[in-house]
Amino acid sequence: MFRIARTLAMAFLVAVAATAATVLPAQADAQELPGGKANYVVSLGHLRDAARNNWVRLGTYEFDAAAGTVAARMYVWEHAVPKARVGTGTVPDSSCSSNDLKSTTHVLACEIKTAGGFTGAPTELRTGVYELRTVTIDGVATPIVWISWNHATAWTEQWKIETGTNLARLSFLYNTKATTGYAYGSNAPLTTRRAMSSVQSHPADIKLQGTSWAKDVTQPIAGTFGHRNFRTCDTTTWCLTYLQPSSSAACQKEGGCPHYGGGTAANVSSIQYYLQKLSNIDRRDTMWHWCSCLALERGETCYTGNSHVKPMYQVIDDTGTFRGWVGVEASYWPNGGEDPRKSDMFAVYRLTDAL
């Protein structure tokens, strides 16, 4: 359970509202760490119905209490600047994939894809100053962290500080540019990550919460992530796979599979899931999934159409324990058309045991 952290940083109360947020941190001064934690993984997004200026960001915030400063290292995907999916170089080995189109247990042996740019270094490096404040939210004195970024245009954000066992959470309150976001922090170095075998064997349930955008509509997303259903791989140990059966309803949405989606044969109504570590030196993972019938409709084994690519950062607590991910989706429509950006798919979400 998370609880609201107590802070002695500010003794006064102010109202939290975008229109009233006019007093910004003027300079960098020594502060306590938000929730007592220095290192946060963060997903942010601007998602609006019928918009074409959406974006998602994923990366890290590092707080320096002595200086009262914060540094962001972010990957950025903008609606108006589509990025093609890229291969990760990993094809799951035969213990967790198959070349048999009729397999009912194993995903197909395809090179795992991720969002363009995620295999390289973060492209957006920002610095800012922060303050811990106490504000009144629904009549309750609540600790928040207030960040002011050094940016060409005014950019501030406010998060409610909540603490749990060995982990802190920043709950989204306000952001000049974003509409939604998630952040989790600990004092484990951002170079600390857990292996895929630890992910698969994590004992706690991992829950999904977030916001998605597709076909001009934003909507909440929620559910439970079945990480225990994934297979570990004997040789390609940095990836996990899962063939989700009987998913014809999801795959048939809007008539996506007129020839194959109604069948019950192997793979015809399944979803292929791939989960992969992207780095030994940071917390990047990526998830790729697509409906089997969509590939069959195109005469393909490995789908080259509008598959889902979801970059993620592992949430690691003070003890080095895996607690889930924060992530985004940045799946750009690859097939052209009159308004291809309408068919892009974006999301900002958290998959954690610490909702």
Side-chain angles (χ1 to χ4, degrees):
M1 293 292 293
F2 279 86
R3 61 177 177 82
I4 297 176
R6 299 300 177 191
T7 177
L8 301 178
M10 303 294 290
F12 57 88
L13 303 181
V14 296
V16 173
T19 56
T22 57
V23 182
L24 307 181
Q27 60 184 15
D29 295 313
Q31 300 285 324
E32 294 180 11
L33 290 171
K37 312 302 181 186
N39 302 319
Y40 283 79
V41 290
V42 182
S43 59
L44 280 174
H46 175 279
L47 301 176
R48 300 282 194 192
D49 290 346
R52 294 295 182 274
N53 63 341
N54 294 305
W55 55 258
V56 293
R57 281 171 161 82
L58 179 67
T60 61
Y61 288 1
E62 295 180 75
F63 292 89
D64 184 333
T69 57
V70 56
R73 295 172 55 83
M74 307 297 286
Y75 294 88
V76 182
W77 292 274
E78 298 177 271
H79 205 161
V81 187
K83 295 180 180 179
R85 295 160 183 77
V86 296
T88 64
T90 295
V91 177
D93 66 61
S94 60
S95 69
C96 56
S97 72
S98 173
N99 290 312
D100 182 4
L101 288 170
K102 296 182 179 180
S103 173
T104 60
T105 57
H106 288 59
V107 299
L108 292 166
C110 299
E111 182 185 9
I112 299 173
K113 306 295 184 185
T114 190
F118 196 49
T119 56
T123 57
E124 181 182 78
L125 309 180
R126 281 182 275 123
T127 59
V129 297
Y130 77 94
E131 286 184 3
L132 302 189
R133 301 182 175 189
T134 302
V135 303
T136 300
I137 301 177
D138 296 329
V140 178
T142 304
I144 71 167
V145 59
W146 189 315
I147 300 172
S148 179
W149 297 106
N150 300 318
H151 194 263
T153 57
W155 191 347
T156 65
E157 55 190 66
Q158 300 164 32
W159 303 79
K160 181 169 66 172
I161 303 169
E162 299 171 294
T163 59
T165 303
N166 300 315
L167 193 67
R169 178 175 68 195
L170 300 182
S171 292
F172 186 91
L173 286 176
Y174 168 75
N175 191 302
T176 307
K177 299 180 183 294
T179 60
T180 187
Y182 300 99
Y184 288 86
S186 72
N187 289 318
L190 289 168
T191 53
T192 299
R193 60 163 294 117
R194 293 278 71 85
M196 286 293 105
S197 56
S198 297
V199 171
Q200 194 274 341
S201 62
H202 185 62
D205 289 341
I206 295 176
K207 301 296 181 65
L208 165 67
Q209 185 180 69
T211 301
S212 68
W213 186 100
K215 303 215 179 273
D216 281 336
V217 176
T218 58
Q219 60 184 353
I221 50 177
T224 299
F225 184 66
H227 61 289
R228 300 181 192 90
N229 294 322
F230 279 73
R231 292 176 175 271
T232 54
C233 303
D234 292 342
T235 304
T236 48
T237 57
W238 54 92
C239 65
L240 301 172
T241 65
Y242 171 47
L243 184 70
Q244 178 183 333
S246 303
S247 299
S248 58
C251 297
Q252 276 285 58
K253 188 176 181 180
E254 298 182 10
C257 297
H259 300 100
Y260 293 95
T264 58
N267 278 359
V268 168
S269 58
S270 62
I271 299 180
Q272 314 265 337
Y273 278 94
Y274 306 76
L275 180 60
Q276 182 190 339
K277 174 186 76 174
L278 281 189
S279 170
N280 289 319
I281 60 172
D282 59 35
R283 301 189 193 175
R284 278 177 296 157
D285 289 338
T286 193
M287 185 160 58
W288 182 46
H289 61 92
W290 42 277
C291 293
S292 307
C293 66
L294 292 175
L296 293 172
E297 292 285 346
R298 297 164 66 101
E300 299 175 341
T301 300
C302 300
Y303 187 44
T304 61
N306 203 27
S307 59
H308 296 266
V309 282
K310 296 180 176 179
M312 303 189 295
Y313 264 70
Q314 288 188 355
V315 176
I316 303 292
D317 71 15
D318 286 342
T319 68
T321 300
F322 170 81
R323 303 293 297 276
W325 300 271
V326 296
V328 300
E329 177 169 7
S331 305
Y332 294 94
W333 178 252
N335 299 327
E338 183 177 342
D339 185 7
R341 301 288 66 83
K342 183 176 181 178
S343 297
D344 295 339
M345 298 177 290
F346 296 102
V348 178
Y349 59 90
R350 57 185 175 186
L351 279 165
T352 77
D353 64 9
L355 285 183

